[in-house]
Amino acid sequence: MSDQNRLSVFKTYKLYVGGKFPRSESGRVYEVSDAKGKWLANAPLSSRKDARDAVVAARKAFGGWSGATAYNRGQILYRVAEMLEGRRDQYVAEVADAEGLSKSKAGLQVDAAIDRWVWYAGWTDKIAQVVGGGNPVAGPFFNLSSPEPTGVVAVLAPQESSFLGLVSVVAPVIATGNTAVVIASEKSPLPALSLGEVLATSDLPGGVVNILSGRTAEIAAPLAAHQDVNAIDLAGADETLAKELEVAAADNLKRVLRPQPVDDVDWSATPGTDRMTAFLETKTVWHPTGALGASGSSY
Amino acid sequence: MASASAPTAASAFEYAPAPESRAVVDIAASYGLFIDGEFTEAAEGKVFKTVSPSTEEVLSEVAEAGEADVDRAVKAARKAFEKWSALPGPERAKYLFRIARIIQERSRELAVLETLDNGKPIRETRDADLPLVAAHFFYYAGWADKLDHAGYGANPRPLGVAGQVIPWNFPLLMLAWKIAPALATGNTVVLKPAETTPLSALFFADICRQAGLPKGVVNIITGDGRAGAALVAHPDVNKVAFTGSTAVGKQIARTVAGTRKKLTLELGGKGANIVFDDAPIDQAVEGVVNGIFFNQGQVCCAGSRLLVQESIHDELLDSLKRRLSTLRLGDPLDKNTDIGAINSAEQLARITALADQGEAEGAERWSPACDIPESGYWFAPTLFTNVTQAHTVARDEIFGPVLSVLTFRTPDEAVAKANNTPYGLSAGIWTEKGSRILAVANKLRAGVIWSNTFNKFDPTSPFGGYKESGFGREGGRHGLEAYLDV
């Protein structure tokens, strides 16, 4: 059968929660259009129940993921890049549609996103040495500071950069052992929902990344107020929403990463360590060293 | 006070009183606000008294800052910021070294002053607070000209004016923790000490004067929570640092929401001290005592929950009670005193209410026999046994000399119980088994873990909490981040 006669198969976009692909609990969808207003798909319009389910999944996954070796986490992040590379064309098409970009410009975005996974894959087993270490205390103690993931992080993905922006905020969160509940770009959620399919086939344990689509403000409110969420990245919030969510986050003293002014964000620049350290705690462990014999010159 | 069957072994001989002289401190009858290098009266002319918690004697009268005063102090700090931040690092370092040296020189005077104003034993101010205060200034002095090497990029920039609010439990030490890194990184400071312990900060103002610190770099405003709230909310403050209660910390987090102010919070705790059956009992008992009775338990990282392995519960408790019976409560200026006064009548009321609630909820209360002085604010060292995780005394931060004892059977259970709190500041582990220390330390959700020791502090060592114990770290390289634009 020739191409022009073949009716294409539409894709039903679904959420990615706990390693599975559920529809929204609410049964709602919303229309997603390309940059010119042409209908692309119906995306799930997540409810607060979906958000809470995603937190449960992320919490359940936290022990295993944070307890995995840094080497193992690096391998898995790199595997995500491998899987994405193989499906590059799909993402180029989705990003081009979502952001109204030419194929070549969308290609640059996708390439940068793939490289971003590789970059963070290399960080998993280095960040502890860069931000932790032994402290030379004035006393007979061995004392060591190490970074630990803060827990479940709610991530409001950037609204404009549907894929590179998304990857730039998700990869650092999980590289350090946190688990994430991600709200995709409201207007352009399809690349994010497709990322779930890649994550599901990259040996990433289910629940480490959970992806929701829908109204950012509607889903973010219960996440910011959720007592079992430890941190929130407000990248995708406007000024008013960010303030509202930051106030809610104070209830259990969530770590808050405030949105940077939109004009200043260049998602293609090599990131620093800020997005990793924002969701790390420093744990300092002390132990007496004792003394072997009296002080003196013998050795 | 409950003073049941305390097995007090009669001492071979009694301690003679060994009071430290208070003549080394000259407290003025009144103090103003320290703004732009000068002591000035509050705009509204209001004052309040500060008393010695051990005698209720009025020590001095200090100015009560209002919004206009806060504004004046922030303006002074803003004006001073331009020159101070432009000063070459080695020069800033030298100012901090000067301050550190002067603190050492005046250490005895400051220790006595702190004991008078706070009520904590002179043994602690002399041997713990003051050496750490000086060490903090020395440590951060050394960073002032090495910031390019701190791991925050080349040429990291200061934030501007830091608004700092500190508590009454370690007045001078908390001042050092806040001011030393702020100045080293090129920020200027408006600091508000606690209402009940303003004096050492005002003496510090004099140290700044002696050190020749440029005017406006450090400003001290005394007052109550309203002055603190005005400082936190001031639009021209770039960085807010707070140490204190979790409730106030949450309020501050709400206040700075939606602003660009950088925020660090060091808040409450309900630290677990976990004693395994192979721990050396005597050392563990010393650690448990130090963990909860240091500074009358008025310590955010206090080990206020003792988790003891069931098989050694009775043995450990006997030892602990015996040890508590030897603690000496009384005149904080006496060098033999272990337990001083509670900082304020308000705090004493809170401790009393929570301890009474513990009793009402069915926990078993015990205190050693001890004489409580007639005047001042005192609370005998107190143990609660038969405590479950649901009891208020196992959940709420009491911030007093009250220890709740719980038991566990397995390391997993110990970890689960230790982590069963909204707080996450500190924890202790007592065992001879190294792998168990590392495994348990790994699983505890707390910022500071002391293994086979407790309540150790050092300026090179990051300190701060997980969860509702706040965010950010003070001390070490990590402590610089809070004051840099990174």
Side-chain angles (χ1 to χ4, degrees):
Chain A
M1 191 156 41
S2 70
D3 274 358
Q4 62 230 51
N5 296 328
R6 183 178 175 272
L7 191 65
S8 67
V9 178
F10 279 177
K11 174 162 140 189
T12 303
Y13 284 89
K14 297 190 194 173
L15 307 177
Y16 181 52
V17 176
K20 296 191 164 64
F21 296 93
R23 291 186 166 85
S24 168
E25 164 274 342
S26 64
R28 302 178 304 183
V29 292
Y30 70 114
E31 286 190 21
V32 176
S33 314
D34 70 7
K36 293 189 183 116
K38 188 180 129 237
W39 181 86
L40 290 172
N42 292 324
L45 186 60
S46 302
S47 64
R48 54 178 54 224
K49 176 68 163 69
D50 292 318
R52 287 200 297 265
D53 290 348
V55 173
V56 171
R59 173 60 62 198
K60 201 172 155 202
F62 178 68
W65 183 242
S66 60
T69 63
Y71 179 60
N72 184 223
R73 283 202 304 270
Q75 294 279 303
I76 292 173
L77 262 65
Y78 184 77
R79 180 84 176 150
V80 175
E82 287 180 358
M83 294 290 106
L84 277 174
E85 189 77 51
R87 296 168 68 161
R88 184 178 177 279
D89 290 351
Q90 175 197 339
Y91 288 94
V92 171
E94 284 186 339
V95 170
D97 280 346
E99 300 180 28
L101 299 174
S102 66
K103 280 278 156 63
S104 66
K105 281 196 172 153
L108 291 176
Q109 297 268 313
V110 173
D111 291 346
I114 296 172
D115 292 352
R116 189 71 73 242
W117 283 105
V118 175
W119 197 74
Y120 280 112
W123 262 117
T124 59
D125 53 5
K126 294 167 192 71
I127 188 77
Q129 289 174 318
V130 171
V131 304
N135 307 305
V137 297
F141 295 96
F142 169 74
N143 164 314
L144 194 67
S145 290
S146 349
E148 289 191 343
T150 199
V152 174
V153 182
V155 177
L156 281 60
Q159 296 297 341
E160 299 306 323
S161 182
S162 64
F163 192 61
L164 177 55
L166 168 88
V167 167
S168 299
V169 296
V170 172
V173 166
I174 65 168
T176 51
N178 295 290
T179 56
V181 175
V182 184
I183 307 174
S185 161
E186 181 167 332
K187 181 169 58 105
S188 316
L190 303 186
L193 295 175
S194 290
L195 178 67
E197 297 159 22
V198 158
L199 298 178
T201 51
S202 303
D203 303 327
L204 190 77
V208 172
V209 173
N210 304 277
I211 301 171
L212 306 172
S213 59
R215 307 289 171 227
T216 298
E218 184 188 347
I219 311 167
L223 290 176
H226 201 298
Q227 296 296 299
D228 204 29
V229 172
N230 303 95
I232 188 163
D233 179 345
L234 299 174
D238 63 28
E239 209 175 302
T240 316
L241 178 62
K243 181 173 179 177
E244 227 170 78
L245 297 177
E246 195 176 343
V247 169
D251 257 1
N252 69 337
L253 292 163
K254 283 180 190 66
R255 281 61 179 140
V256 176
L257 186 59
R258 292 171 173 154
Q260 294 164 284
V262 173
D263 300 336
D264 291 356
V265 182
D266 173 10
W267 295 113
S268 62
T270 301
T273 55
D274 302 7
R275 289 196 165 270
M276 286 186 285
T277 54
F279 305 116
L280 287 174
E281 302 292 344
T282 296
K283 176 186 277 180
T284 301
V285 180
W286 292 65
H287 197 277
T289 52
L292 291 177
S295 62
S297 61
S298 62
Y299 56 87
Chain B
M1 275 314 112
S3 58
S5 56
T8 30
S11 306
F13 46 86
E14 289 299 312
Y15 286 83
E20 171 66 278
S21 166
R22 59 181 287 182
V24 292
V25 187
D26 191 9
I27 302 175
S30 72
Y31 289 92
L33 310 167
F34 185 67
I35 296 174
D36 205 17
E38 311 285 339
F39 280 104
T40 71
E41 282 179 24
E44 294 163 33
K46 285 190 190 163
V47 294
F48 63 99
K49 292 176 169 47
T50 185
V51 303
S52 178
S54 62
T55 58
E56 297 175 60
E57 167 203 355
V58 174
L59 295 172
S60 188
E61 206 171 71
V62 297
E64 185 181 327
E67 273 185 42
D69 304 302
V70 170
D71 187 54
R72 206 150 47 95
V74 172
K75 282 203 171 80
R78 172 64 58 201
K79 199 169 124 228
F81 173 67
E82 199 179 324
K83 280 190 181 165
W84 179 250
S85 59
L87 204 62
E91 300 298 304
R92 277 207 313 275
K94 283 192 280 182
Y95 279 114
L96 286 166
F97 278 122
R98 282 185 183 184
I99 290 172
R101 274 287 187 235
I102 295 171
I103 287 168
Q104 285 182 321
E105 285 165 7
R106 298 178 63 175
S107 162
R108 184 169 173 189
E109 172 193 3
L110 293 167
V112 172
L113 175 76
E114 197 82 312
T115 285
L116 281 170
D117 204 19
N118 170 280
K120 63 167 73 184
I122 185 74
R123 198 167 56 78
E124 291 180 10
T125 53
R126 183 193 62 191
D127 299 346
D129 296 52
L130 263 298
L132 279 169
V133 169
H136 260 89
F137 278 99
F138 274 112
Y139 177 76
Y140 280 110
W143 268 124
D145 54 0
K146 301 172 191 67
L147 295 174
D148 290 356
H149 306 281
Y152 299 111
N155 194 25
R157 305 302 306 153
L159 297 166
V161 175
Q164 309 178 318
V165 179
I166 58 169
W168 44 259
N169 57 343
F170 295 91
L172 201 51
L173 183 60
M174 292 301 104
L175 173 149
W177 283 24
K178 296 280 181 294
I179 290 185
L183 297 194
T185 46
N187 299 276
T188 55
V189 162
V190 178
L191 177 127
K192 190 199 85 70
E195 190 180 3
T196 59
T197 54
L199 292 182
S200 50
L202 296 166
F203 273 55
F204 180 79
D206 189 51
I207 290 171
C208 293
R209 184 190 58 77
Q210 288 187 332
L213 195 71
K215 291 179 177 193
V217 172
V218 169
N219 305 276
I220 311 276
I221 52 164
T222 46
D224 59 16
R226 285 169 298 184
L231 178 58
V232 166
H234 195 290
D236 205 26
V237 163
N238 307 95
K239 193 259 157 12
V240 171
F242 172 73
T243 294
S245 75
T246 290
V248 175
K250 289 179 180 180
Q251 194 46 53
I252 290 173
R254 289 180 197 112
T255 302
V256 305
T259 71
R260 305 309 297 176
K261 289 177 194 173
K262 199 158 175 171
L263 175 65
T264 46
L265 300 169
E266 297 287 355
L267 309 175
K270 192 72 186 174
N273 222 339
I274 307 170
V275 184
F276 287 96
D277 57 7
D278 66 340
I281 294 281
D282 289 349
Q283 282 160 19
V285 165
E286 282 309 305
V288 169
V289 168
N290 179 35
I292 184 61
F293 300 115
F294 180 62
N295 196 12
Q296 296 70 247
Q298 300 169 131
V299 184
C300 51
C301 54
S304 53
R305 288 180 297 155
L306 172 61
L307 295 180
V308 53
Q309 197 150 16
E310 209 172 74
S311 52
I312 57 161
H313 174 269
D314 293 353
E315 185 189 357
L316 186 82
L317 260 287
D318 285 349
S319 245
L320 186 59
K321 287 180 177 176
R322 207 158 47 236
R323 178 66 180 91
L324 292 194
S325 304
T326 66
L327 289 177
R328 297 168 58 83
L329 178 145
D331 181 7
L333 275 175
D334 190 313
K335 292 169 201 157
N336 293 321
T337 291
D338 299 305
I339 308 273
I342 300 301
N343 181 252
S344 64
E346 188 191 2
Q347 183 59 20
L348 177 60
R350 178 180 158 77
I351 298 169
T352 306
L354 281 166
D356 290 348
Q357 193 173 341
E359 221 173 346
E361 288 174 11
E364 201 171 305
R365 179 176 181 159
W366 181 91
S367 287
C370 76
D371 295 328
I372 301 291
E374 306 261 307
S375 60
Y377 318 125
W378 304 89
F379 198 88
T382 299
L383 280 186
F384 278 104
T385 49
N386 289 332
V387 175
T388 71
Q389 295 183 81
H391 279 113
T392 304
V393 288
R395 306 208 65 82
D396 286 17
E397 184 180 40
I398 298 174
F399 224 64
V402 180
L403 179 65
S404 299
V405 185
L406 298 98
T407 61
F408 68 90
R409 289 185 180 176
T410 63
D412 279 346
E413 190 188 347
V415 167
K417 282 184 170 168
N419 286 340
N420 182 16
T421 165
Y423 297 113
L425 189 49
S426 71
I429 305 167
W430 299 85
T431 173
E432 289 286 76
K433 198 168 161 65
S435 56
R436 187 182 283 150
I437 289 173
L438 297 176
V440 172
N442 222 2
K443 286 189 178 168
L444 292 173
R445 302 290 292 164
V448 189
I449 315 280
W450 287 291
S451 326
N452 292 332
T453 184
F454 209 93
N455 268 346
K456 292 289 181 288
F457 307 93
D458 191 274
T460 67
S461 181
F463 178 96
Y466 283 40
K467 301 195 279 184
E468 296 193 17
S469 290
F471 37 76
R473 293 294 178 271
E474 293 181 298
R477 184 190 76 86
H478 297 74
L480 294 167
E481 187 184 0
Y483 293 95
L484 291 172
D485 184 14
V486 289

